[in-house]
């Protein structure tokens, strides 16, 4: 029941605040997500002191779960 989803992301990162927005298409997938298509957007902030990210993921992926 494991799966992976790989997205080719491009976007912006503000080095002074840690804010970022990035978006991209699904370029690879495995397991139950095999042959997935779609686009995801990630937006959030990196705590520049700790390196931790807080982000939201938005978008849509399409996959045939009946396989």
């Amino acid at each position: 029941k494991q799966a992976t989803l790989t997205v080719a992301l491009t976007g912006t990162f503000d080095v002074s605040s840690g804010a970022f927005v990035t978006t991209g298409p699904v370029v690879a997938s495995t397991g139950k997500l095999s042959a997935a298509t779609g686009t995801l957007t990630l937006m959030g902030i990196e705590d520049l002191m700790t390196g931790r990210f807080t982000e939201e993921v938005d978008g849509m992926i399409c996959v045939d779960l009946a396989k």
Side-chain angles (χ1 to χ4, degrees), residues 12-13 17-22 42-46 53-56:
T12 60
F13 177 73
S17 70
F20 65 92
V21 177
T22 184
L42 289 74
M43 62 195 105
I45 193 158
E46 177 190 9
F53 285 86
T54 301
E55 62 192 15
E56 294 181 22

Side-chain angles (χ1 to χ4, degrees), residues 6-45:
T6 304
V7 181
L9 298 169
T10 58
T12 60
F13 177 73
D14 184 325
V15 295
S16 63
S17 70
F20 65 92
V21 177
T22 184
T23 189
V26 173
V27 294
S29 55
T30 65
K32 278 287 205 180
L33 297 176
S34 182
T37 60
T39 302
L40 296 178
T41 298
L42 289 74
M43 62 195 105
I45 193 158

Side-chain angles (χ1 to χ4, degrees), residues 3 31 47 59 61 67:
D47 181 324
I61 59 170
K67 291 195 270 180

Side-chain angles (χ1 to χ4, degrees), residues 1-6 28-36 62-67:
K1 295 190 179 200
Q2 295 181 351
T4 63
L5 188 68
T6 304
S29 55
T30 65
K32 278 287 205 180
L33 297 176
S34 182
C62 298
V63 64
D64 181 2
L65 294 176
K67 291 195 270 180

